[in-house]
Amino acid sequence: MKGIYRLALSFSIILIFLLALWFRSEHLDHSAHPDNDSIVQQKAFNELQAEDLVMTIELFLQQVKLDLAKWQEDMEEDPALRENWLNEQINDHPHIDGFTAFSMPSKEKLYEKGSLPEDAIDKLFQGEPEINGWTYSQPYISQGSKKMVLGLTKDNHCFVSEVDISFVEKYVKELASLSDNNGNFFIGDSQLDVSFSDEEAEVDELSVVKKIPELDWGLYLSSEQEFSSKDHLKKGEVVVVLDDDIDPEKWSKEHEVFLLDYSGNSAVVRDLTRDAEEMMEEWYGDPTVVYMEPNYTFEKQTIAKETNLLPDDEFYNLYQWNLKQLHVEGAWSETIGSDIPVAIVDSGVDPSHPDLEKRIVKGYNAFEDNEAFVDDNGHGTHVAGIFGAVTNNGEGIAGVTWSNPILAVKVLDHEAIGNSFSIAKGIRWATDNGARVINLSLGDEHRSEVMHQAIKYAYERDVVLIAATGNDNVETPMYPAAFEEVLAVGSINDLEERSFFSNYGKHTDVTAPGEHIPSTFVGGQFVMMSGTSMASPHVAGLAALILSRDETLTNSEVYDIIRSTAFDLGKKGFDQYYGYGTVNASEALKQ
């Protein structure tokens, strides 16, 4: 019943498309009336996210077909299953109401389980029946719910099921509203409008219209032209680095501030009655303070020798174009990974996901300083799946690596927002706990010295650091990606073109797939997401494969291999949009 469990949960995949890309308006200095460039950028984001939504609905329909085809095959092998077993399957399935077999072309009913409309076969075939393959009816309303009939014609038989599809409107609209209220959708806090009919839709210049062929529906998606800025400082919080002989607890009491957290001689202090600049101005010249900075916020950056078999995971051939573009199949002929740990420093990871639970060996929560690394956002789980979902298990997706264990490090909260101090703690913990590769699908334009010190701490201990460049389509350096010790990864699409949202600049090292990427999500789900957040773990996975092939390599040598074997894109040689090009796993492993 695992397939049914995944299917039942996958209906909330629509939430992922809303969380797939974040766009911070303060990078663009908008006024109340955005300029033409802003409108073009907004329309492009709407277009991409509408595509993610349509693809997730297609992913759902594909899973329905896989379940129904499996039922049909099982019953063909053992006709006795048509009795109690089939009833159990239908009763347990939250969205399939009945299953019937007809003899074709006579349309004689052979057996029926569950409930189906009397005219199910007529709803399915308006004209001549299909000889073999899948057929969909037009959506219709039955007992207050939107439904459709789905049929598989095979060997003079047609196997028909009624599927409840009312979830589409319900989940799209409810979860879109939820995401918008959380400030994670589009530019600023723009209002979302998702409709499925011409009568409902309010079409304007930002509207995007997409067709869902299987359902014969049109998806209308738009957003208001409202732009607002987010505060990228934790209110009233300052990170201070004190002299070695100064006790942070005593110092905070003397300075009448609350000590939130400390590690060694670095501490985070808070006074909600003042802003960070006021506090820093007061302490300027204090001989006990070596360095201080606001506690900046950072966000997610939301798109084999051991075996002769290619992955048999159910979504690999149909949806994982990204791994094929990465040329990872050639790399797997060299290695599918090893026991070298890789840290996913993000919003945590879902430890119960069937495609991840066997890969996670340890975890850490930088906010609470404990092992509570459960992901309550979903971003980190999606990133982890791209890197290393359990592969060749006949279910879900394939990961870039098949074997490397995952250290799940939670440094972003339920809104996928963290701060420089928590991220720095997470990087140090991952380093101290054996990570040879750290993935950082997060960032902001603030050059935090506290974070840089943690980056250097990891780099000096030979850790490979991979980070996303950001999703603002700007040249502004994003940290930690722009630190010289880090390999910065931009995003490309399936045509090997730079994603319109991908940040660029001289600090960009390479690019990797980052649009419409299927991966794991909280609650055992599989969803599509887009962003440089999705590009980065492809490269982290490649780094893990390289080290699995030769663990004596230094981090700088791993960087050199990734850069030198990248396939050149854009202008000949290095350029600010593609760096050294798109990563090529097969060539990297050959070198």
Side-chain angles (χ1 to χ4, degrees):
M1 301 298 292
K2 287 185 178 179
I4 294 175
Y5 173 67
R6 289 195 310 276
L7 176 60
L9 291 172
S10 71
F11 295 152
S12 58
I13 55 180
I14 291 24
L15 177 60
I16 303 315
F17 120 86
L18 300 174
L19 298 175
L21 297 171
W22 60 273
F23 191 90
R24 299 189 315 280
S25 61
E26 71 278 10
H27 288 161
L28 298 179
D29 191 25
H30 291 298
S31 64
H33 302 287
D35 56 26
N36 289 334
D37 289 342
S38 301
I39 293 174
V40 171
Q41 181 86 342
Q42 177 81 63
K43 181 68 176 284
F45 270 92
N46 290 5
E47 184 83 22
L48 184 71
Q49 295 184 324
E51 290 171 359
D52 270 350
L53 176 56
V54 170
M55 292 175 72
T56 53
I57 294 173
E58 292 175 352
L59 190 66
F60 153 71
L61 290 175
Q62 178 64 26
Q63 188 61 62
V64 172
K65 292 191 291 187
L66 288 172
D67 286 340
L68 294 177
K70 183 66 165 56
W71 292 3
Q72 180 268 324
E73 290 174 2
D74 289 347
M75 288 186 295
E76 287 295 299
E77 292 178 3
D78 184 359
L81 294 177
R82 296 175 188 174
E83 300 304 321
N84 295 334
W85 179 86
L86 182 55
N87 277 329
E88 291 175 1
Q89 301 303 304
I90 295 171
N91 290 336
D92 290 342
H93 205 294
H95 298 280
I96 295 179
D97 298 332
F99 190 96
T100 304
F102 293 89
S103 177
M104 299 300 287
S106 67
K107 298 183 181 179
E108 178 187 355
K109 186 181 295 185
L110 301 177
Y111 59 87
E112 178 179 355
K113 297 295 180 182
S115 64
L116 281 94
E118 287 297 322
D119 59 347
I121 194 73
D122 296 324
K123 288 180 181 295
L124 193 63
F125 298 115
Q126 299 296 325
E128 289 296 320
E130 294 287 335
I131 297 175
N132 277 297
W134 292 96
T135 307
Y136 308 86
S137 77
Q138 294 290 325
Y140 58 91
I141 296 176
S142 175
Q143 297 179 334
S145 297
K146 282 191 177 177
K147 299 185 179 182
M148 66 182 292
V149 175
L150 180 62
L152 172 61
T153 306
K154 182 178 179 182
D155 300 330
N156 299 319
H157 291 86
C158 185
F159 305 91
V160 178
S161 286
E162 184 179 57
V163 181
D164 190 327
I165 55 174
S166 58
F167 77 91
V168 176
E169 288 182 310
K170 178 179 184 294
Y171 276 85
V172 169
K173 292 182 178 180
E174 288 186 3
L175 294 177
S177 175
L178 171 63
S179 179
D180 179 57
N181 290 338
N182 286 341
N184 290 321
F185 187 66
F186 294 137
I187 299 176
D189 296 320
S190 55
Q191 298 299 308
L192 173 67
D193 175 46
V194 180
S195 304
F196 293 93
S197 68
D198 294 309
E199 292 76 12
E200 287 186 67
E202 298 180 7
V203 180
D204 56 29
E205 64 180 326
L206 292 177
S207 296
V208 174
V209 181
K210 292 290 180 183
K211 292 294 183 183
I212 305 171
E214 292 85 352
L215 302 181
D216 195 28
W217 282 4
L219 169 68
Y220 301 80
L221 185 147
S222 186
S223 57
E224 294 180 6
Q225 297 178 15
E226 295 180 3
F227 302 86
S228 63
S229 175
K230 289 184 182 178
D231 184 2
H232 277 258
L233 307 179
K234 297 289 285 185
K235 182 174 176 58
E237 292 185 15
V238 175
V239 176
V240 293
V241 179
L242 305 172
D243 271 339
D244 291 338
D245 58 347
I246 301 298
D247 179 9
E249 294 184 358
K250 183 178 179 181
W251 186 92
S252 60
K253 289 180 180 178
E254 291 175 349
H255 289 71
E256 298 182 342
V257 289
F258 181 73
L259 180 65
L260 283 175
D261 199 356
Y262 71 93
S263 177
N265 64 334
S266 299
V268 182
V269 296
R270 175 192 287 169
D271 181 353
L272 294 180
T273 65
R274 297 181 289 171
D275 59 34
E277 286 75 12
E278 289 182 74
M279 298 161 69
M280 292 169 61
E281 183 177 351
E282 177 184 323
W283 301 332
Y284 180 76
D286 187 331
T288 63
V289 178
V290 177
Y291 174 82
M292 56 185 167
E293 65 181 33
N295 195 14
Y296 298 117
T297 62
F298 289 75
E299 304 184 26
K300 63 184 179 183
Q301 295 294 306
T302 314
I303 140 108
K305 278 188 176 180
E306 294 83 345
T307 177
N308 293 319
L309 298 176
L310 292 179
D312 62 3
D313 304 83
E314 57 193 340
F315 297 138
Y316 179 71
N317 286 323
L318 289 171
Y319 296 101
Q320 291 195 269
W321 66 270
N322 48 313
L323 296 189
K324 297 174 179 66
Q325 187 187 80
L326 196 69
H327 298 287
V328 75
E329 292 175 358
W332 289 335
S333 68
E334 299 292 332
T335 179
I336 56 172
S338 67
D339 59 356
I340 292 176
V342 174
I344 305 298
V345 177
D346 211 288
S347 61
V349 180
D350 181 357
S352 61
H353 196 291
D355 238 11
L356 287 172
E357 59 183 347
K358 293 181 180 178
R359 298 296 300 277
I360 303 170
V361 295
K362 200 172 184 180
Y364 175 67
N365 185 320
F367 298 111
E368 301 175 2
D369 198 28
N370 58 30
E371 298 179 0
F373 62 84
V374 173
D375 185 4
D376 50 6
N377 174 270
H379 185 265
T381 300
H382 197 272
V383 169
I386 296 169
F387 163 77
V390 175
T391 303
N392 216 32
N393 63 343
E395 299 179 358
I397 63 165
V400 176
T401 82
W402 299 22
S403 302
N404 293 84
I406 293 173
L407 301 176
V409 186
K410 185 178 181 66
V411 299
L412 304 180
D413 62 17
H414 67 284
E415 293 183 335
I417 297 176
N419 58 72
S420 53
F421 194 79
S422 66
I423 296 169
K425 283 181 66 178
I427 293 170
R428 288 177 180 271
W429 181 90
T431 302
D432 293 341
N433 283 270
R436 285 296 311 276
V437 180
I438 295 178
N439 184 81
L440 297 154
S441 289
L442 46 81
D444 203 277
E445 77 272 19
H446 303 296
R447 184 187 175 97
S448 166
E449 184 59 29
V450 168
M451 185 187 294
H452 195 195
Q453 290 300 319
I455 290 289
K456 289 192 286 188
Y457 177 84
Y459 184 80
E460 289 165 359
R461 286 154 181 79
D462 218 18
V463 176
V464 174
L465 297 140
I466 311 291
T469 60
N471 303 328
D472 298 331
N473 188 28
V474 295
E475 191 176 0
T476 306
M478 183 76 65
Y479 298 95
F483 289 130
E484 60 182 353
E485 298 87 359
V486 178
L487 192 80
V489 183
S491 171
I492 57 174
N493 61 23
D494 60 340
L495 299 177
E496 295 189 329
E497 299 168 341
R498 182 180 74 93
S499 299
F500 71 88
F501 54 79
S502 186
N503 288 0
Y504 55 92
K506 294 180 179 179
H507 60 286
T508 301
D509 289 288
V510 291
T511 57
E515 293 188 31
H516 308 317
I517 308 299
S519 187
T520 48
F521 192 62
V522 292
Q525 302 174 58
F526 296 91
V527 304
M528 296 280 186
M529 290 181 72
S530 299
T532 55
S533 281
M534 286 63 253
S536 183
H538 286 91
V539 184
L542 173 55
L545 291 178
I546 292 171
L547 287 171
S548 297
R549 186 75 171 81
D550 184 357
E551 62 180 311
T552 67
L553 293 170
T554 66
N555 49 12
S556 62
E557 289 173 331
V558 173
Y559 293 159
D560 288 342
I561 290 172
I562 293 173
R563 293 177 182 130
S564 64
T565 58
F567 180 75
D568 190 22
L569 296 175
K571 293 182 179 179
K572 187 174 181 179
F574 177 87
D575 67 82
Q576 64 175 343
Y577 295 107
Y578 297 95
Y580 290 92
T582 183
V583 290
N584 187 318
S586 180
E587 289 300 315
L589 267 292
K590 287 178 184 177
Q591 186 176 118

